[in-house]
Amino acid sequence: MSRLLIMKTQIKIAVIGLGYVGLPLAIEFSKHYFVTGYDINKNRIKSLKKYKDNNNEVKINKNFLKQNKLNFTSYAKDLHGSNVFIVCVPTPIFKSTKPDLRNLVSACHLISKYIKINDLIVFESTVYPSTTENVCLKILEKKSKLKCITANDFKEGFYLGYSPERINPGDLNHHLSNTAKLVSSNSSIGLKKIYSLYKKIIKADVIKVNSIQICESAKIIENVQRDVNIALMNEFSKIFRKMNLNVNEIIKYASTKWNFLKFYPGLVGGHCIGVDPYYLAHIAKKNKIDPRLIISGRKINDKMYLQVIKRVSDICLSQNINISKSNVLLMGYAFKENCSDIRNTQIIKIFDYYKKYAQKVEIYDPLIKSTKEIKSRIEIIKKPKQKYYSIVLVLVPHKQILALTSKYIDKITKPRSIIFDLKNAFKRNYFSL
């Protein structure tokens, strides 16, 4: 067998982690190869075997499962016989904001039991630069008793690579196959293997990166750049509100210049933008660099919910509405519009405030079907009550929420009420930042 390429009939892929990143990968690869999709969440596996994705991101082809081309499992022994391992586990942070690599470390321990000579291991999880080689690789070599091939001298061992995920939950236009894919390895042969593998499923460009650390860095600054730019808009909104100027209108006119970067103020949550800056800050500090701008932007975005609360309180005061005697409706709970992902949603902070100070607070989010993953003190109502709310906050403008007419809003609000539209999404004469 050639060391340059694994024959198509011999490729057996194991995807570790079947969330927003791993599931689409497993499905796309199963169109060409035999795939084992592994996840420690047994309930997740049960749902997938019933052809149901609770994240509502992808459709599962029943035929692939029936033909045994795609096997969902939570049993580690089912990874036996795989020769390509793709790791797609979450990389969150601790409360201290330090990187939490426990999922990644566990995945490395797991697959080290099953990797063999000439196998290929690819990491897709977002990490700070140097993690793949300085953390993951060390575990793989120590536990498997195999060496990674880093030179082109055909020594016995396994191949290592990094190919960062670029999944955007809720985005119907940009998905796995039509988004440019970066691939990297610490050997030229490994890079050719990874390129050949992903070229099967990616219709857009597959771009070779000659350094794993460069590839890790390129991924992480994608999200850090966005976080810092949103923080800038959030600071703008604070300045212009003090001057009684509409920040959304200001951005609209500023964006008529060709090189103006069009970002809007808002709440920043999710598993990427609200987390990745801390990963980059971590490695910066290790290298004795003070990442002041990155951390400053993160602090602005983390406290943006306070700006929302203050703005609504000022509006209530001007309209003679007593919050302590008001029923409050929060429209939207997901971390952003048009997806059901609730990871690191900032709405919880606003909910907690009104839970303490308002007469009653409820959340309406038509995209969240189950509250099992939500803290027990929160209930997502199925339908807003009529003539019940004095304060309505439109925080996450899902398409289903924007489809509501002004007549409907009038039906659910009391005669004396306020509607706060965080992103000015309704384009009506509602209060906004």
Side-chain angles (χ1 to χ4, degrees), residues 267-285:
L267 302 170
V268 180
H271 183 64
C272 295
I273 299 179
V275 172
D276 294 352
Y278 291 120
Y279 271 68
L280 187 55
H282 171 78
I283 196 64
K285 290 174 183 176

Side-chain angles (χ1 to χ4, degrees), residues 39 63 92 103 148 155 172 182 198 203 219 300 314 407:
D39 201 291
N63 291 329
N103 294 325
C148 176
K155 286 183 178 178
L172 299 178
L182 303 180
Y198 280 99
K203 294 177 182 177
K219 165 57 187 178
I300 289 171
D314 290 343
K407 288 184 179 179

Side-chain angles (χ1 to χ4, degrees), residues 224-234 261 263-264 301:
V224 174
Q225 180 193 60
R226 186 166 179 80
D227 191 48
V228 170
N229 275 290
I230 295 173
L232 181 62
M233 298 301 134
N234 283 337
L261 299 178
F263 289 87
Y264 287 94
N301 288 340

Side-chain angles (χ1 to χ4, degrees), residues 42 53 57 112 140 177 180 199 251 277 284 290 362 371 405 420:
K42 293 182 179 180
D53 171 27
E57 290 290 319
S112 66
L140 292 173
S177 63
K199 197 63 181 171
I251 293 170
D290 182 10
E362 295 180 342
T371 57
T405 64
F420 173 78

Side-chain angles (χ1 to χ4, degrees), residues 246-253 264-265 422-424 432-433:
N246 188 311
V247 67
N248 291 299
E249 193 173 2
I250 292 167
I251 293 170
K252 180 180 76 172
Y253 290 116
Y264 287 94
L422 174 62
K423 295 189 175 182
N424 200 30
S432 65
L433 282 174

Side-chain angles (χ1 to χ4, degrees), residues 143-162:
K143 295 296 179 180
S144 70
K145 302 294 191 292
L146 297 173
K147 290 293 181 183
C148 176
I149 299 173
T150 57
N152 302 319
D153 53 5
F154 299 112
K155 286 183 178 178
E156 298 290 331
F158 60 86
Y159 295 93
L160 181 73
Y162 181 76

Side-chain angles (χ1 to χ4, degrees), residues 33-51:
Y33 310 109
F34 289 100
V35 176
T36 298
Y38 174 85
D39 201 291
I40 60 173
N41 187 334
K42 293 182 179 180
N43 290 328
R44 174 71 166 161
I45 296 300
K46 286 180 182 178
S47 296
L48 294 176
K49 284 186 174 182
K50 295 177 181 177
Y51 321 118

Side-chain angles (χ1 to χ4, degrees), residues 356-375:
K356 185 176 181 180
Y357 293 106
Q359 180 171 280
K360 177 77 173 178
V361 57
E362 295 180 342
I363 298 173
Y364 170 66
D365 193 315
L367 294 190
I368 298 176
K369 307 299 181 184
S370 171
T371 57
K372 289 181 180 179
E373 294 181 19
I374 300 175
K375 294 179 181 179

